[in-house]
Amino acid sequence: MLLVVRVAVLADIHGNLAALDAALEAVDNLHPDRLIVAGDVVDGAPDSEGCWQRVKGLGVPVLRGNHERYLFDFDTERADPEWSVPRFGPLRASREEVGPETVAELADLPTSWRDAGVPGLLVVHASLRSDADSVQPYTPDGDIGAMFPGDEVPELILRGHNHICMSRQWGGRRIVTVGSVGLALDGHPSAQFTVAELSGSSWQVRHHAVAYDVEATLRRFRETCYLDRAGPMGRLVIREVATGSSHLIPFLRDWRRSEDPSLERAVSTFLTQW
């Protein structure tokens, strides 16, 4: 009998509830056999708590991403000392939003998913080694080998973290980075996810992007007084949601080279140039 299994993977929701709802509606219409949430449910747009409760209520496997770790490490000895400076205002805003029960639940999440009923598939947030590893088309094979150690890594790896769909071969295996549900960075502000279908012994992968009410998410920034809590860096997050393009990383790269120490002024200057 031919084995056919369809697995939907959602990742990088980042507190964007309108995008999450749109993605889940689209997934429901596809009738997958399994749904996996591959981390970074929280931290970004202003509905981290709402997104977590929505995802938790699905009763599906949910993995821990680096942004879950940021939230549950925030008030501990593992916290990065720099998290107290203004450029981490969006992280502080997210941590203030979620309650202690949610923080404990995030800390208990697993970091990878495999199932004997779905042979040949591994799902992680970033890699087996770390929740913050980046896989790019140009990443050396040796570097990837360190991210996925061992001889039993299956033929298909689905991962999130980089917010842009991509695929590359590695040692006879295929690594597929799924798009971001809530914070797409490919220039298209849509809710993105990926479906992998196993038919017999062959995997087929298809990326999906569905429209969602971006304006509803932007209203949530205003309704929650997000900028008051997140500070100047919050303006970059809002722009990322609105445009579906990267602003935080390009800003920080430019600001580190600048002699101007004013974060507010630097953000304003940066946004006028984009």
Side-chain angles (χ1 to χ4, degrees):
M1 182 176 180
L2 183 67
L3 175 65
V4 178
V5 182
R6 182 180 294 173
V7 180
V9 176
L10 277 61
D12 300 291
I13 298 162
H14 287 287
N16 189 337
L17 189 56
L20 173 59
D21 284 340
L24 288 174
E25 181 178 357
V27 167
D28 190 55
N29 291 333
L30 295 172
H31 307 292
D33 301 292
R34 303 289 183 91
L35 171 61
I36 314 297
V37 179
D40 280 7
V41 176
V42 297
D43 190 25
D47 285 304
S48 290
E49 183 69 34
C51 286
W52 170 245
Q53 295 302 328
R54 182 86 164 88
V55 165
K56 184 173 70 168
L58 297 172
V60 303
V62 183
L63 304 184
R64 188 186 81 201
N66 54 309
H67 284 262
E68 279 78 37
R69 174 170 55 83
Y70 297 160
L71 292 196
F72 66 71
D73 275 355
F74 191 84
D75 292 322
T76 74
E77 68 278 0
R78 297 184 300 274
D80 189 320
E82 288 199 356
W83 289 353
S84 63
V85 304
R87 67 186 176 92
F88 284 94
L91 173 60
R92 290 199 305 277
S94 296
R95 181 60 184 86
E96 291 167 2
E97 182 195 342
V98 300
E101 181 178 343
T102 292
V103 171
E105 291 169 340
L106 298 179
D108 284 341
L109 294 175
T111 57
S112 64
W113 180 88
R114 302 187 212 199
D115 190 290
V118 188
L121 177 64
L122 167 68
V123 183
V124 295
H125 177 66
S127 78
L128 282 175
R129 177 181 67 180
S130 167
D131 58 25
D133 277 332
S134 184
V135 176
Q136 302 290 348
Y138 48 77
T139 303
D141 283 0
D143 291 354
I144 294 179
M147 298 177 196
F148 297 96
D151 298 326
E152 298 183 1
V153 178
E155 63 188 271
L156 178 63
I157 301 167
L158 296 180
R159 60 181 297 279
H161 188 59
N162 289 116
H163 293 227
I164 296 177
C165 297
M166 65 185 78
S167 178
R168 65 158 295 166
Q169 298 299 121
W170 165 64
R173 303 174 179 90
R174 181 162 45 143
I175 302 174
V176 176
T177 300
V178 308
S180 169
V181 171
L183 202 58
L185 297 180
D186 62 356
H188 301 281
S190 54
Q192 302 176 3
F193 62 94
T194 293
V195 176
E197 183 172 297
L198 174 64
S199 180
S201 60
S202 176
W203 282 101
Q204 300 294 322
V205 177
R206 182 178 178 183
H207 299 295
H208 295 258
V210 297
Y212 76 95
D213 191 346
V214 177
E215 287 301 321
T217 299
L218 297 178
R219 285 196 300 273
R220 290 295 295 155
F221 281 99
R222 296 190 293 271
E223 292 166 356
T224 60
C225 300
Y226 175 85
L227 285 179
D228 291 338
R229 297 181 292 116
M233 296 294 286
R235 297 166 61 192
L236 300 174
V237 178
I238 295 170
R239 183 68 70 87
E240 289 194 338
V241 170
T243 64
S245 58
S246 181
H247 284 71
L248 281 165
I249 291 176
F251 167 78
L252 289 172
R253 182 182 59 232
D254 291 348
W255 190 42
R256 290 189 182 103
R257 295 197 297 255
S258 172
E259 296 180 359
D260 188 345
S262 169
L263 184 61
E264 175 69 49
R265 188 163 52 243
V267 168
S268 296
T269 299
F270 179 85
L271 289 174
T272 61
Q273 297 170 348
W274 282 67

